[in-house]
Amino acid sequence: DYIGVDTITTGRGPYNLQSDFLKKPKKYGMEDTLKDERNNKDDIRIFGKVDRKRVIKFIDKDYKLPTPHKGNQSGLWKVLIPRGWGGMDGKYLGGTYSSIPIAGPTDLCTESYLECGKCKSFDEVKKHSKYCMSKFARALLMDNKFEFHCARSIWKSVPIQDYTEDFWNSDNIDDIDEGLFDKYNVPEDIRQFV
């Protein structure tokens, strides 16, 4: 009955927006009407990178995208995982991890990110975000990470959670790790290693 987080993670470029789209939309035959601020409540937020820096831009809801945007109908929240997440620098188990943004149901991202999770509420996506940042999940993630970039397949060793246990309500990732170690009966020597 095992199901991995890879089943709720997109592949590269879920919206067919190249990594340099936010800098050069005309290169892809699209309008250069990206905005730095939300002008209307129904503007769509796009997460991406420009010159290796994370940025957020906004587009009108009827902006012509290369792939039709179905986020409005899905109602699902997701965590955005940078493609270079868990750099292979050897400082920590699995490398260095940067923060991960939470995207709402109508938000998009360029191929600089993978979408992880199919959460029905903000509360659930916050728990999923904490799970992704836990040492437990990151140690399992490294079971399949053989290169700098993250891919959907590296998440197959990380089990999906239903977030019903009390430890998910903690804001302390260490408490969540302990709860996960107990849930999966992780031996003490492995806990100490992780």
Side-chain angles (χ1 to χ4, degrees):
D1 296 337
Y2 176 83
I3 302 172
V5 172
D6 62 315
T7 62
I8 57 168
T9 303
T10 63
R12 182 176 168 195
Y15 302 103
N16 200 22
L17 296 173
Q18 303 301 313
S19 56
D20 63 347
F21 163 73
L22 295 181
K23 186 175 183 178
K24 303 174 185 176
K26 288 184 176 182
K27 176 179 173 181
Y28 301 102
M30 294 196 269
E31 297 176 42
D32 192 3
T33 56
L34 305 174
K35 303 176 273 191
D36 292 328
E37 295 180 11
R38 178 175 272 144
N39 296 337
N40 300 303
K41 67 178 175 103
D42 55 359
D43 282 351
I44 296 170
R45 184 167 60 162
I46 303 176
F47 291 83
K49 289 188 177 183
V50 173
D51 298 326
R52 302 184 75 157
K53 293 181 182 155
R54 293 181 182 192
V55 297
I56 297 173
K57 296 283 185 176
F58 297 88
I59 57 172
D60 293 328
K61 68 175 181 171
D62 41 356
Y63 185 94
K64 290 278 188 207
L65 292 164
T67 301
H69 175 43
K70 303 224 187 298
N72 304 40
Q73 294 90 19
S74 73
L76 299 175
W77 294 77
K78 51 259 179 197
V79 174
L80 300 181
I81 306 291
R83 281 189 49 223
W85 199 60
M88 309 285 277
D89 63 9
K91 240 177 155 177
Y92 305 100
L93 179 63
T96 304
Y97 292 83
S98 61
S99 61
I100 49 179
I102 291 176
T106 62
D107 294 335
L108 306 174
C109 62
T110 67
E111 68 176 4
S112 299
Y113 292 96
L114 303 177
E115 287 184 342
C116 184
K118 293 180 179 178
C119 304
K120 294 180 178 144
S121 68
F122 182 70
D123 182 59
E124 184 182 356
V125 79
K126 275 189 352 186
K127 291 173 182 174
H128 186 65
S129 175
K130 290 187 268 186
Y131 180 43
C132 291
M133 294 299 290
S134 71
K135 292 175 186 167
F136 176 88
R138 292 184 337 215
L140 292 171
L141 181 72
M142 293 316 299
D143 185 44
N144 295 299
K145 191 163 191 321
F146 303 107
E147 62 177 311
F148 177 76
H149 287 107
C150 282
R152 176 183 176 189
S153 61
I154 68 171
W155 291 91
K156 67 183 175 186
S157 294
V158 182
I160 282 186
Q161 302 295 315
D162 62 12
Y163 305 112
T164 56
E165 297 91 356
D166 289 338
F167 62 81
W168 291 111
N169 296 320
S170 176
D171 288 328
N172 186 332
I173 303 285
D174 290 338
D175 294 342
I176 292 169
D177 271 319
E178 286 304 313
L180 288 163
F181 289 147
D182 290 345
K183 177 178 179 176
Y184 291 99
N185 300 312
V186 175
E188 188 61 35
D189 60 329
I190 302 297
R191 292 179 192 221
Q192 293 305 315
F193 174 74
V194 170

